[in-house]
Amino acid sequence: MISLREYLDTTRCEEPLKDLIELIAYQAIPIREAFLSNQAYAASLNASGEQQAALDTWSDRHLTNVLQESKLVAELASEEQPDVVRFPGATTNYAVVMDPLDGSSLIQVNLAVGTIVGIFGEGGVLQKGERLRAAMYMLYGPMTVLTITVGEGVCLFALNEARQYVLLSGGVRMPEGNLYGSGGIRPDWTEAHTACIGQIEGEGAKLRYSGSFVADFHQILKYGGVYCYPALKKKEEGKLRLLFEAIPIGFIAAQAGGAISNGRGDILAIEPTAVHQRTPIYVGSSGLIRHIEDLLAR
Ligand code: AFP
């Protein structure tokens, strides 16, 4: 069995980066525990008798505190916070972008949700995705699975009974496949997106969409296909965030041989201009993404 640290020791990562990756990955344990302790059980209050915090807010505060205390992060941008947070006591220049709990509305119905994280080296949080040093997500499904890349391919780890990450598979490749899921509702889709979805459905694409980006992407990583959240008629930039969702997941997709596009070109080449910038997203098997770009250009 290969542990997360043993794997990281085989990569070109420097020690502080390995420490930071491990620290973040293992926050899956307290976050998962918070699903139980923050449950709104009938006829009960929490220890202090207060209203429970929403889990996305709780996860954000928890991760922010852990990163600050570690002194391993100089700058943090979180989907849950309006502005970039700077940690003056940091001993490194790492900049972290994160969605602390993606798909959080699905917790109520016990479907899979996840934590998405990207780590830049020097230069702060407003950088092109292609400059990421590492990207990862922890998916809280039947198992807790960590998907990670440090720019040397993609690995999957699972938390075992001893609460250690053990390698499930290395050198993960995204196959060409025919699953698809698209956010937004059909009346709001643009003509180009509607025609594109009609075309790939006609070619045999099969619908899979849960409403949790990280869970829906994980399925695409394994079986191939495309996850999209398109430009909408009245919201050209779509819904998902460039820094917190698109860039880390796109970096993982690219490292697995897949691709991420805004419908016109590579999202990883976009220079971000604002922390909460949004972007249309098409992420999945590289052949299908190129096909979709061609369809959208017609
Ligand atoms: P929440 O974190 O608010 O649940 O949003 C989830 C999300 O950002 C992403 O995980 C989903 O793919 C997408 O939004 C779902 O959006 P729609 O409900 O519009 O399909």
Side-chain angles (χ1 to χ4, degrees), residues 101-105 183-184 209 211-214 227 229 239-240 245:
L101 209 52
D102 178 63
S104 51
S105 61
Y209 190 79
S212 162
F213 178 37
V214 69
Y227 168 94
Y229 209 110
K239 176 183 180 189
L240 299 196
E245 289 161 316

Side-chain angles (χ1 to χ4, degrees), residues 72-75 90-95 120-124:
L72 288 169
V73 175
E75 207 169 283
T91 56
T92 74
N93 288 318
Y94 298 130
F120 290 105
E122 290 195 1

Side-chain angles (χ1 to χ4, degrees), residues 79 97-99 102 116-118 120 127-130 132 135 137 213-214 217 227 229 237 239-254 259-262 266-270 275 277-284:
E79 206 208 39
V97 290
M98 68 173 183
D99 184 349
D102 178 63
I116 307 173
V117 178
F120 290 105
Q127 300 195 54
K128 292 179 183 179
E130 63 196 21
L132 279 168
Y137 60 82
F213 178 37
V214 69
F217 171 75
Y227 168 94
Y229 209 110
E237 70 283 14
K239 176 183 180 189
L240 299 196
R241 316 282 170 134
L242 178 63
L243 281 186
F244 314 123
E245 289 161 316
I247 279 177
I249 296 284
F251 193 66
I252 291 169
I260 187 163
S261 171
N262 62 3
D266 186 3
I267 281 182
L268 297 177
I270 295 175
V275 174
Q277 189 171 338
R278 297 174 196 262
T279 178
I281 286 181
Y282 296 82
V283 61

